[in-house]
Amino acid sequence: MRLSRYFLPTLREDPKEAEIVSHRLMLRAGLIRQQSAGIYAWLPIGHRVLTKISAIVREEQNRSGAIELLMPTIQSAELWRESGRYDAYGKEMLRITDRHEREMLYGPTNEEMITDIFRSYVRSYKDLPLNLYHIQWKFRDEIRPRFGTMRSREFLMKDAYSFDIDQAGARHSYNKMFVAYLRTFARLGLKAIPMRADTGPIGGDLSHEFIILASTGESEVFCHRDFLDFPIPSADTDFDDVAGLQAIVDKWTSLYAATSEKHDEAAFAAIPDDRKVSARGIEVGHIFYFGTKYSLPMKATVTGPDGKEHPVHMGSYGIGPSRLVAAIIEASHDDAGIIWPDPIAPFDVSLINIKVGDTATDEACARLYHALTTRGIDVLYDDRDERPGAKFATADLVGMPWQILVGPKSLADGKVELKRRATGERQLLSIEDAVARIA
Ligand code: ATP
Ligand code: MG
Ligand code: MG
Ligand code: MG
């Protein structure tokens, strides 16, 4: 992509409304634009990151055996009356009336709708277990939307819903999501710690929040430091191995980790002082087992091996890709701008032509652009007629993992400069070597 033909509206000044660094950088680097309080447009590079995060979330959901579908954003109040949550949910729910005076709502979550879909088709325990998920926009009329897409009113959520014949089956389904979440966050370059958590308005009794430590996080958390170095389950983990998955979950819950709602002072005091972490954290994912909370009132039952009707045991599992964009920036930036982890960078390379109009630099950039893109590498080519300083600043701000600087001086020696954004390390290399280094 040529920057001269792209849409990358960066800001020179720090926006006043942004209180935390990720919000500031998302506005300055042209990832998002606020359209109403807590409602954002995703500009091209922001959209690219969101799409890449969603793709990783999707791959790991699929790997665990979950099945993707897509439910609508607008729901009927009827379903929520069946579960009893229509009145209970309160002001966070955006309620809408259509032209026929029917009560609708913009979904804040989808337990009711998925339970309705399930009960319409599934009749027998033989069709279980089942885990259905979608990646869809949600709306919650947050009392204090803030920190950009960290706590917005409209936000993207991956929400999965599992159905099992009994509690033991549901436990296995829960463990699958637990392991999928460990893999997902690790692939996004994050150290997320599963912490015992409150179940909140969704209800139930087994729940973990996946938390990233960050000084700007809104949760107060307590945990054992060793979690930060625990090994991540490998890609060939057998999700059908009940005992194997339980062993992974047991290990990842063997040490103390809890949010303030579930904090146990005595248990925390037992951790050696140099291993104690008392910090702030960002909730990036949350998994629940809630049994028959929805299946009972909504009559989602299946025939069991005994020939009788049983309400299904359910769990729900959320990840917030739009919050993750901000969380990743909180974890990965410096004074000059964003430092994208390779797997989710909007482009892999910023290619900077230091002297546009110079035949040698123009030709070298064209060669590099061609060689990289034909190898499947995404290049943002800064071909604008701008001062070099401004181009370097833009490249650092938008944070692609690699920069290639092409100027007449080094090119006279047949070299271009390759810079790694994360470390600032620079190397003078031939065009071929620079391409080989990245590809
Ligand atoms: P919080 O405690 O931050 O309000 P929550 O517990 O209400 O979040 P869940 O119902 O557990 O959120 O939703 C699952 C995931 O959706 C969260 O872990 C988070 O990643 C994301 N999420 C929830 N609310 C928001 C929001 N207002 N903006 C962005 N992402 C959100
Ligand atoms: Mg909330
Ligand atoms: Mg929460
Ligand atoms: Mg939660």
Side-chain angles (χ1 to χ4, degrees), residues 140 142 149-152 155 157 283-286 318 320 323:
R140 293 183 186 175
E142 299 278 354
T149 65
M150 191 81 88
R151 178 168 303 284
S152 48
F155 60 96
M157 198 202 287
E283 177 191 330
V284 287
H286 197 165
R323 175 176 290 181

Side-chain angles (χ1 to χ4, degrees), residues 391-405:
K391 294 188 173 195
F392 301 150
T394 300
D396 280 351
L397 174 64
V398 300
M400 310 316 167
W402 298 100
Q403 297 174 14
I404 306 179
L405 289 58

Side-chain angles (χ1 to χ4, degrees), residues 26-285:
M26 286 177 77
L27 293 169
R28 280 196 55 210
L31 272 71
I32 52 167
R33 181 172 189 279
Q34 180 168 294
Q35 298 301 133
S36 307
I39 300 177
Y40 291 86
W42 288 81
L43 303 177
I45 67 164
H47 183 243
R48 286 179 79 99
V49 176
L50 192 58
T51 305
K52 286 195 170 185
I53 292 175
S54 300
I56 289 174
V57 169
R58 175 178 289 119
E59 275 176 35
E60 295 303 330
Q61 290 293 295
N62 294 348
R63 190 195 306 281
S64 78
I67 302 163
E68 187 171 15
L69 46 60
L70 184 59
M71 292 178 267
T73 53
I74 306 293
Q75 307 186 18
S76 155
E78 265 334 287
L79 282 178
W80 289 68
R81 290 218 166 82
E82 280 192 57
S83 72
R85 278 211 294 184
Y86 189 62
D87 296 321
Y89 213 93
K91 291 202 163 188
E92 247 187 42
M93 181 184 278
L94 179 64
R95 296 157 206 259
I96 302 163
T97 310
D98 74 8
R99 68 199 295 164
H100 306 292
E101 298 295 319
R102 279 190 289 249
E103 289 172 285
M104 315 290 286
L105 57 101
Y106 195 122
T109 180
N110 282 61
E111 281 80 5
E112 283 78 0
M113 190 177 280
I114 200 75
T115 304
D116 179 56
I117 291 172
F118 178 90
R119 72 180 173 186
S120 307
Y121 299 105
V122 184
R123 298 272 169 265
S124 162
Y125 76 97
K126 291 177 188 155
D127 298 321
L128 303 182
L130 192 61
N131 183 326
L132 301 171
Y133 77 96
H134 69 164
I135 302 177
Q136 176 63 292
W137 295 92
K138 304 289 184 288
F139 195 95
R140 293 183 186 175
D141 205 351
E142 299 278 354
I143 189 163
R144 255 189 102 195
R146 59 184 190 151
F147 299 160
T149 65
M150 191 81 88
R151 178 168 303 284
S152 48
R153 295 199 296 166
E154 189 184 48
F155 60 96
L156 193 58
M157 198 202 287
K158 182 289 297 178
D159 38 327
Y161 303 90
S162 67
F163 302 89
D164 283 274
I165 183 67
D166 55 20
Q167 191 172 348
R171 178 75 216 213
H172 184 211
S173 294
Y174 184 89
N175 291 349
K176 287 182 190 172
M177 285 294 110
F178 191 109
V179 171
Y181 276 36
L182 290 175
R183 287 194 43 76
T184 302
F185 296 122
R187 284 187 61 190
L188 296 172
L190 295 168
K191 286 187 186 282
I193 302 171
M195 304 203 181
R196 283 165 50 83
D198 237 9
T199 47
I202 293 188
D205 49 19
L206 178 58
S207 170
H208 286 91
E209 279 176 13
F210 286 73
I211 303 265
I212 297 168
L213 302 182
S215 57
T216 47
E218 293 183 286
S219 315
E220 204 186 346
V221 302
F222 305 87
C223 70
H224 197 295
R225 189 173 299 282
D226 287 2
F227 274 126
L228 294 169
D229 301 311
F230 266 29
I232 299 299
S234 69
D236 60 6
T237 300
D238 179 1
F239 282 86
D240 292 327
D241 177 357
V242 176
L245 281 201
Q246 188 63 53
I248 297 173
V249 173
D250 286 347
K251 177 161 171 61
W252 273 91
T253 51
S254 60
L255 299 174
Y256 186 77
T259 60
S260 54
E261 294 88 19
K262 284 275 180 182
H263 187 45
D264 173 350
E265 272 299 342
F268 187 63
I271 303 175
D273 276 343
D274 66 328
R275 301 279 86 194
K276 276 193 182 109
V277 177
S278 160
R280 304 202 65 83
I282 301 168
E283 177 191 330
V284 287

Side-chain angles (χ1 to χ4, degrees), residues 289-315:
Y289 163 67
F290 46 72
T292 57
K293 182 177 154 88
Y294 299 94
S295 57
L296 270 180
M298 295 185 69
K299 301 185 180 60
T301 63
V302 293
T303 320
D306 56 5
K308 295 192 181 124
E309 290 294 304
H310 298 261
V312 284
H313 286 248
M314 293 174 59

